[in-house]
Amino acid sequence: MEHVTRPDPRKTAALSAALSGAVDLGALKARADAARQQPAAPSAASANGAPAAGQVPWIVDVTEAMFQAVVEQSLQVPVVVHLGAAYSPESQQLGATLEKLAQVSGGSWIFARVDLEQSPRIGQAFGVQSVPTVVAIAAGQPIDAFAGPLGEPEVQQWIARLLDALRDRLPGIRAGEANAGEVPVAEEAPEDPRFVAAEEAFEQGDYAGAQAAYEQILASEPGNELAKEGLAQVKFAARAEAVDPDVIARADAAPDDIDAQLAAADAEIVQQRVEEAFKRLVDTVRRVYGDDRDRVREHLVGLFELFAADDPRVAVARRNLASALY
């Protein structure tokens, strides 16, 4: 059975229309011709975000804040957007396949990973119905897509067809292909003084200072996972000092009180009642809408960051959260 989605004008038009609400495709299109006349080696690091830790610069973890900048890279090379979720084994499998192929691509295409639990509006812009979904963008326009897991040979063939179709239109493809097969070796980075300052403030109980330090890092590097984790720890530590154990009873008596539900979840985490805390907030997400839902979701995702990514309690809660949201 042929699993790879062939270009469909109707699908392409629908994706383009959906994406147009999230990025300025008109402006990108206006610059596309000029970009074709100025070949340049592609680098995802020039987007308003950082490459994934330990990875080559054309492998990028994308957030809503930096999505426009990553899409702009498609003026030079195709951007392959992987829309997945941590709770989905199929997402993890396909993401690993794409990362493996991107590692040796020389930057002839950019692999952009989107965690839909962290950035749900990107998924909404693309009209994602299931995970994983992969969308190819060129010159600011979605041009092809497929949903569901594929084997490595099929993914490789899909990318090869993509590059063949675009090689004469996007100037960075040939430049990247000249380096294909060469995986850059990351040099060990010296200790970052920004993190040293944040950690020292945290250890001294200066939560406001530590939070400000981590937020300053994220202001310039929105994709910095270490800073995100540090910020989550600091925020929770500050809240935990003021936790009132009685808030759990108050929250149980007032299920529509959002502030009480958030505080009660914090109290349950402090008491090592992790599953109860996660369930409380997932149930709250199911009951509320709009800004309240976003607020509860963000609080819950922040609690996830207090634990190891492979913690089974987090995995279960992520699946339940996805079910509540979609």
Side-chain angles (χ1 to χ4, degrees):
M1 178 182 295
E2 176 63 53
H3 295 285
V4 177
T5 302
R6 301 291 185 180
D8 182 330
R10 292 172 297 177
K11 177 178 286 188
T12 299
L15 282 170
S16 182
L19 183 60
S20 64
V23 296
D24 184 4
L25 295 180
L28 289 176
K29 204 170 180 184
R31 295 199 300 272
D33 289 338
R36 292 190 196 107
Q37 303 303 319
Q38 299 177 2
S43 172
S46 63
N48 290 336
Q55 299 293 351
V56 295
W58 47 83
I59 299 176
V60 178
D61 290 317
V62 181
T63 64
E64 291 169 359
M66 61 184 284
F67 186 55
Q68 169 78 34
V70 172
V71 171
E72 289 191 8
Q73 300 293 300
S74 72
L75 297 176
Q76 295 289 330
V77 294
V79 175
V80 175
V81 183
H82 174 256
L83 300 138
Y87 65 81
S88 165
E90 293 84 0
S91 292
Q92 303 305 310
Q93 179 181 356
L94 181 57
T97 297
L98 285 164
E99 179 176 351
K100 177 182 176 182
L101 297 175
Q103 284 273 0
V104 294
S105 71
S108 55
W109 54 281
I110 290 171
F111 175 34
R113 295 182 290 211
V114 177
D115 182 343
L116 292 179
E117 292 178 288
Q118 301 283 347
S119 303
R121 287 185 293 182
I122 297 179
Q124 292 165 8
F126 280 111
V128 171
Q129 299 297 316
S130 63
V131 295
T133 292
V134 173
V135 180
I137 302 174
Q141 299 291 330
I143 61 169
D144 201 0
F146 67 83
L150 294 180
E152 182 175 334
E154 293 174 297
V155 176
Q156 196 167 19
Q157 291 169 11
W158 183 77
I159 291 173
R161 285 197 295 270
L162 186 69
L163 297 179
D164 287 343
L166 298 170
R167 191 170 287 107
D168 293 333
R169 295 173 50 201
L170 300 182
I173 292 178
R174 294 185 189 278
E177 288 176 331
N179 300 319
E182 298 179 9
V183 180
V185 178
E187 296 181 1
E188 185 175 351
E191 194 169 19
D192 191 327
R194 300 173 303 171
F195 281 94
V196 172
E199 291 160 6
E200 288 179 351
F202 193 5
E203 291 170 1
Q204 294 168 6
D206 180 7
Y207 300 135
Q211 179 172 337
Y214 283 124
E215 287 176 343
Q216 185 174 9
I217 296 171
L218 288 170
S220 59
E221 300 177 19
N224 194 307
E225 294 300 326
L226 289 177
K228 289 180 183 178
E229 293 172 8
L231 182 59
Q233 294 284 348
V234 168
K235 286 184 174 180
F236 182 77
R239 297 198 308 266
E241 283 197 347
V243 163
D244 177 3
D246 294 337
V247 74
I248 296 176
R250 293 200 303 272
D252 290 342
D256 294 329
D257 186 336
I258 303 300
D259 289 335
Q261 299 307 319
L262 301 183
D266 285 348
E268 287 167 333
I269 293 291
V270 170
Q271 296 173 11
Q272 300 300 310
R273 296 164 57 189
V274 177
E275 292 92 344
E276 290 94 328
F278 289 168
K279 182 178 185 301
R280 175 184 298 278
L281 295 188
V282 169
D283 290 345
T284 304
V285 166
R286 296 184 190 278
R287 293 195 302 269
V288 300
Y289 301 92
D291 292 341
D292 285 342
R293 170 177 279 198
D294 287 341
R295 184 181 172 204
V296 177
R297 176 187 63 80
E298 290 172 2
H299 194 96
L300 178 55
V301 171
L303 293 182
F304 290 161
E305 294 174 353
L306 300 174
F307 301 88
D310 59 354
D311 190 308
R313 298 168 298 182
V314 173
V316 170
R318 284 188 182 277
R319 288 194 294 269
N320 293 337
L321 176 60
S323 174
L325 289 170
Y326 301 107

